[in-house]
Amino acid sequence: MSFSKWIGGGLGWAFGGPIGGLVGFAVGAMLDHMQGPADEPVVEQRRVNSTGSTTGGDLTMSLVVLIAALMKADGKVTQSELDDVRRFFVRQFGQQQAAQLLIVLRDVLKRDIPVHQVCDQIRHNMPHAVRLQLLHYLIGLAHADGSVHRAERDLLKRMAHDMGISEKDLGSISAMFRMADPSAAYEVLEISSTATDEEVKKAYRRMAMKFHPDKVAQLGEEVQKAAGEKFKKVQEAYETVQRERGMK
């Protein structure tokens, strides 16, 4: 799928508000550059796509803006961070779209990012399951270099709060990236190690439902596949607790 069709036909509420203000210039410039007779219906669709439902383009542009904020959290943007983001974009969206998203990202990095307002826009327009996936992407990128800077941790906590994501859900997703820690399995399931076996089973069913990939199926195969990583971590956490307790 071409970038112009993907953004033009798949960008709804994110083209307005603070997110649109941050990405609009770069996205608009690329669309204008690629515009031709065959592209005119796509550009028109970009103008009228205001159904209120979250699209793949809304998720991706929200992600680009929050990635930029996260990269700037410690006061500097390094080449290694850009390389990590490039690899993530390629893995998630493919080579062509990754190159175009990096252009948008570099433009956003030059701007002041009103993180609270951006997260508030996301909270009011994006379903909870999609917000959880957005946070999963961000936490994964924060862990990409093997350590999470304190400023990044603090910003992720603020982002989660402003997006309406609970501390338990933040803790659960964060624990998915440190499964070598003996306590992580319980955190993923959002229970304590003193929970009964029956409580463990109930927690697994609850978390499996919360993180099921079908919750984001409307955003396309790439997002659904990425959501499957969270689902697998819930299964892994449950199996870890089962082995530890000798549960059947």
Side-chain angles (χ1 to χ4, degrees):
M1 182 181 292
S2 70
F3 181 79
S4 58
K5 182 177 180 182
W6 176 59
I7 291 296
L11 192 60
W13 54 260
F15 207 72
I19 295 173
L22 288 162
V23 305
F25 178 81
V27 171
M30 280 190 285
L31 285 172
D32 290 342
H33 176 72
M34 291 182 285
Q35 184 175 350
D39 285 328
E40 289 175 3
V42 172
V43 176
E44 178 63 23
Q45 190 173 5
R46 170 164 60 100
R47 295 191 190 107
V48 302
N49 184 6
S50 58
T51 62
S53 60
T54 295
T55 67
D58 294 324
L59 172 61
T60 305
M61 290 300 102
S62 300
L63 177 61
V64 168
V65 169
L66 293 184
I67 285 174
L70 196 60
M71 292 173 71
K72 296 170 72 171
D74 61 358
K76 60 183 183 298
V77 176
T78 66
Q79 185 60 49
S80 64
E81 288 175 321
L82 285 169
D83 291 341
D84 287 337
V85 173
R86 181 183 294 107
R87 284 190 288 270
F88 165 75
F89 282 159
V90 170
R91 186 171 67 251
Q92 184 64 29
F93 304 109
Q95 192 74 43
Q96 181 182 5
Q97 290 182 12
Q100 293 160 334
L101 289 173
L102 282 169
I103 293 172
V104 180
L105 176 67
R106 290 178 185 276
D107 190 69
V108 176
L109 283 168
K110 300 173 185 176
R111 304 171 184 273
D112 292 329
I113 302 172
V115 176
H116 174 74
Q117 289 91 333
V118 167
C119 291
D120 190 59
Q121 183 182 9
I122 291 168
R123 179 176 186 169
H124 284 90
N125 291 279
M126 189 178 286
H128 184 251
V130 185
R131 281 178 271 146
L132 291 175
Q133 183 56 42
L134 178 59
L135 186 64
H136 182 258
Y137 285 142
L138 294 168
I139 294 174
L141 279 169
H143 281 267
D145 61 357
S147 62
V148 182
H149 193 280
R150 180 175 179 177
E152 292 175 329
R153 285 198 303 271
D154 291 344
L155 182 56
L156 284 167
K157 188 173 181 178
R158 281 177 25 226
M159 286 177 176
H161 177 270
D162 290 345
M163 286 192 292
I165 295 172
S166 70
E167 288 189 22
K168 276 194 171 184
D169 282 343
L170 172 61
S172 174
I173 296 174
S174 298
M176 293 176 183
F177 294 92
R178 49 182 182 81
M179 292 294 287
D181 183 338
S183 67
Y186 287 97
E187 288 189 57
V188 169
L189 297 175
E190 297 186 358
I191 54 175
S192 72
S193 59
T194 60
T196 66
D197 289 356
E198 186 58 32
E199 287 171 335
V200 170
K201 294 175 183 178
K202 287 181 180 179
Y204 167 66
R205 290 192 292 268
R206 182 179 68 252
M207 299 306 293
M209 183 177 295
K210 181 186 295 186
F211 290 131
H212 199 284
D214 286 352
K215 295 277 189 178
V216 297
Q218 75 276 15
L219 297 183
E221 185 178 340
E222 294 103 338
V223 178
Q224 191 174 20
K225 183 178 178 181
E229 296 176 14
K230 298 197 308 300
F231 188 70
K232 288 177 183 177
K233 288 299 182 181
V234 171
Q235 293 175 311
E236 182 182 336
Y238 182 54
E239 290 166 4
T240 297
V241 174
Q242 280 184 307
R243 287 194 301 270
E244 177 190 303
R245 295 181 172 215
M247 291 171 57
K248 294 182 179 180

